[in-house]
Amino acid sequence: MPAQQEEVFEKVRTCLVDALGVDEEEVTPEATMVGDLGAESIDFLDIVFRLEKTFNIKIPRGELFPEDILSNAEYVQDGKLTADGLTQLKQRMPFADLTKFEADPRVVAFGNMLTVQDLVNYVQSKLA
């Protein structure tokens, strides 16, 4: 990992440890926010707040966690994101690897897709 990315990862890790009460060793780049770290929707507000404060960046609502797309009837059918919905999600989340989610686009599976590395990529894109 390049030095700058390592530094961003360490700070993101601290934010997640503080917000979620998990152990440092649980926060790996591959760990998923919901499945592995147990984040719930209320936690994401805390995480966003901590990331903004730590990195002195502004995170517009819905940019990091686009819940508006995932709850929009236009993009969701039978509990799954439509092709249009996936397109919207990719445009909104260029920092995230959505490959696994595309294979299983159930809205309930979305939280299990977002990883710590996706957060690191997002923060780096804001700092660039």
Side-chain angles (χ1 to χ4, degrees):
M1 222 187 266
Q4 189 210 356
Q5 192 176 3
E6 182 67 44
E7 189 184 324
V8 171
F9 171 73
E10 290 302 329
K11 289 180 175 177
V12 167
R13 173 190 270 170
T14 301
C15 290
L16 294 175
V17 166
D18 293 347
L20 302 173
V22 291
D23 291 332
E24 246 184 48
E25 32 310 332
E26 290 178 79
V27 185
T28 62
E30 305 76 42
T32 59
M33 298 299 299
V34 175
D36 296 331
L37 302 180
E40 294 173 11
S41 12
I42 189 85
D43 296 320
F44 287 116
L45 295 172
D46 189 18
I47 292 165
V48 163
F49 172 74
R50 289 173 190 275
L51 292 174
E52 285 184 327
K53 221 169 133 187
T54 301
F55 293 100
N56 197 21
I57 56 176
K58 186 78 192 105
I59 301 175
R61 182 170 167 75
E63 189 175 85
L64 186 51
F65 308 111
E67 58 280 325
D68 56 320
I69 292 177
L70 299 170
S71 60
N72 186 332
E74 191 185 331
Y75 300 129
V76 179
Q77 284 177 343
D78 301 324
K80 290 186 175 179
L81 211 54
T82 62
D84 276 356
L86 277 168
T87 302
Q88 290 293 322
L89 207 57
K90 282 181 182 168
Q91 285 173 354
R92 285 276 286 284
M93 301 181 77
F95 55 88
D97 178 0
L98 297 170
T99 323
K100 273 198 219 145
F101 186 64
E102 279 183 275
D104 179 14
R106 289 175 305 139
V107 171
V108 294
F110 180 77
N112 280 324
M113 183 232 46
L114 202 63
T115 65
V116 173
Q117 185 61 51
D118 293 329
L119 280 191
V120 171
N121 294 346
Y122 174 77
V123 168
Q124 284 192 288
S125 72
K126 296 298 275 187
L127 295 173

